[in-house]
Amino acid sequence: MTDALKRLSDEGVAIWLDDLSRKRITSGNLAELIDQQHVVGVTTNPSIFQKAISHGDGYEQQLTDLATRKVTVDEAIRMITTADVRDAADILRPVFDATDGQDGRVSIEVDPRLAHRTHATIAEAKQLAWLVDRPNTLIKIPATKAGLPAITEVIGKGISVNVTLIFSLERYREVMDAYLAGLEKAKAAGLDLSKIHSVASFFVSRVDSEVDKRLDAVGTDEAKALKGKAALANARLAYEAYEEVFSSDRWAALDKVQANKQRPLWASTGVKDPAYKDTLYVVDLVAPGTVNTMPEATLDATADHGEVTGNTIAGTYAQARAELDAVAQLGISYDDVVQLLEDEGVEKFEASWIDLLNSTEAELKRLAPSEG
């Protein structure tokens, strides 16, 4: 079952799981995935925690204790989510040690309601790093305009970051610039750059979902022939940008002092359209130095029937550009698509967080002991 995943790993793709729950931790499932399925990291987001805490088991005792202490709902959520991330980080610690800090990572996101507030994001990132208190944590910061200076500031303080919700190539370049600026600040402050890591989460499937919808509206044979092409093209051109930035003179100066490259991470790799092969955003985005974070269904599909044939990004840049140009020539605005997806991404995570606040508040009230 794991040959395809081993081949993927051998090609230089780090396999991370895009899911976390207390049950996954306490049942031994996460340890099993690390041991048997080549999983070397975990990502979380507000939607994942909302699902885990609202519908999962294993939280009642902690919720009861928090209710007894009469903590606020915001504090309760942070106590619960950081406990899960801390435990997952401990399970992944041997991977972290074996890879010199590159993998064995667990990501936790700043409150999505802060996505457009730079200073609040910085303060939250520092607080989360302190709360989890594990060297193999990545603090997730959204790649909004307000997020960019926060990324620089947080990296400059020596905190490792997962930059999330990247859809556009222009924004991705801004993210890499923010990371390098952060490393330069850290260097000036005398920090050990070898200890600072980052990934840039470039979202994939949602691009096809939006572009395909617009291609269907155009309705021509030419439009239909372009369905399922935009997301891969966009991601492949992101990898081209990554290769360019991390072979620059600016990077060379940081490389000399043991800085780490900010790896591209393919996020949202579960296929949304059942017409596409369920391993599309895994096997067609194979390149060294990347991370692919998969929902469990995609991980299982890749293990079962993924065809890993080597590097599937090298040599694709001209074709990728031609495909995005062809989409644009049909009147579909790339800038409009990626901005809409960023806005929707922030809104969806904020809505999940509010759902989580509401459901947790209801549980705290239910479990609160009667006075006396």
Side-chain angles (χ1 to χ4, degrees), residues 122-268:
I122 294 165
E124 171 95 345
K126 287 158 60 179
Q127 172 75 355
L128 280 175
W130 177 82
L131 267 176
V132 177
D133 194 27
R134 294 294 184 272
N136 49 332
T137 311
L138 290 171
I139 306 302
K140 288 179 86 170
I141 297 175
T144 56
K145 276 291 185 186
L148 295 170
I151 292 158
T152 296
E153 192 67 25
V154 173
I155 289 290
K157 294 183 182 303
I159 297 169
S160 294
V161 171
N162 175 345
V163 183
T164 188
L165 289 174
I166 308 170
F167 295 94
S168 94
L169 294 167
E170 181 184 359
R171 183 57 54 83
Y172 178 42
R173 286 183 178 275
E174 291 174 336
V175 165
M176 290 187 284
D177 180 72
Y179 174 62
L180 296 182
L183 289 177
E184 287 158 354
K185 281 181 76 104
K187 180 184 174 186
L191 299 182
D192 181 355
L193 269 56
S194 72
K195 303 295 186 190
I196 304 171
H197 288 259
S198 183
V199 293
S201 294
F202 200 87
F203 279 55
V204 186
S205 67
R206 295 186 195 181
V207 174
D208 270 345
S209 296
E210 184 59 33
V211 171
D212 285 359
K213 184 168 67 177
R214 299 183 188 208
L215 290 169
D216 281 336
V218 174
T220 63
D221 288 345
E222 183 187 7
K224 289 172 185 171
L226 285 167
K227 287 183 68 175
K229 301 285 180 67
L232 289 176
N234 199 38
R236 286 166 170 172
L237 292 177
Y239 192 79
E240 180 187 39
Y242 158 77
E243 289 185 310
E244 181 186 311
V245 168
F246 288 99
S247 59
S248 66
D249 290 343
R250 184 183 183 191
W251 167 249
L254 292 163
D255 188 39
K256 283 178 185 171
V257 287
Q258 281 74 56
N260 297 291
K261 292 179 180 178
Q262 182 187 55
R263 289 182 293 171
L265 179 151
W266 310 130
S268 184

Side-chain angles (χ1 to χ4, degrees), residues 205-352:
S205 67
R206 295 186 195 181
V207 174
D208 270 345
S209 296
E210 184 59 33
V211 171
D212 285 359
K213 184 168 67 177
R214 299 183 188 208
L215 290 169
D216 281 336
V218 174
T220 63
D221 288 345
E222 183 187 7
K224 289 172 185 171
L226 285 167
K227 287 183 68 175
K229 301 285 180 67
L232 289 176
N234 199 38
R236 286 166 170 172
L237 292 177
Y239 192 79
E240 180 187 39
Y242 158 77
E243 289 185 310
E244 181 186 311
V245 168
F246 288 99
S247 59
S248 66
D249 290 343
R250 184 183 183 191
W251 167 249
L254 292 163
D255 188 39
K256 283 178 185 171
V257 287
Q258 281 74 56
N260 297 291
K261 292 179 180 178
Q262 182 187 55
R263 289 182 293 171
L265 179 151
W266 310 130
S268 184
T269 56
V271 171
K272 305 283 194 290
D273 188 334
Y276 302 151
K277 65 184 179 185
D278 53 5
T279 60
L280 178 67
Y281 304 125
V282 178
V283 300
D284 284 28
L285 288 175
V286 176
T290 58
V291 180
N292 195 306
T293 187
M294 308 177 207
E296 191 168 20
T298 304
L299 182 75
D300 289 343
T302 305
D304 182 61
H305 52 265
E307 295 179 14
V308 179
T309 57
N311 189 324
T312 48
I313 292 183
T316 64
Y317 302 146
Q319 179 69 23
R321 261 188 289 278
E323 286 166 349
L324 289 186
D325 286 346
V327 168
Q329 284 162 16
L330 292 173
I332 296 170
S333 166
Y334 176 86
D335 289 343
D336 183 65
V337 167
V338 294
Q339 188 59 56
L340 174 73
L341 291 171
E342 180 187 303
D343 293 343
E344 284 184 349
V346 172
E347 287 166 11
K348 284 175 183 174
F349 282 168
E350 187 172 331
S352 292

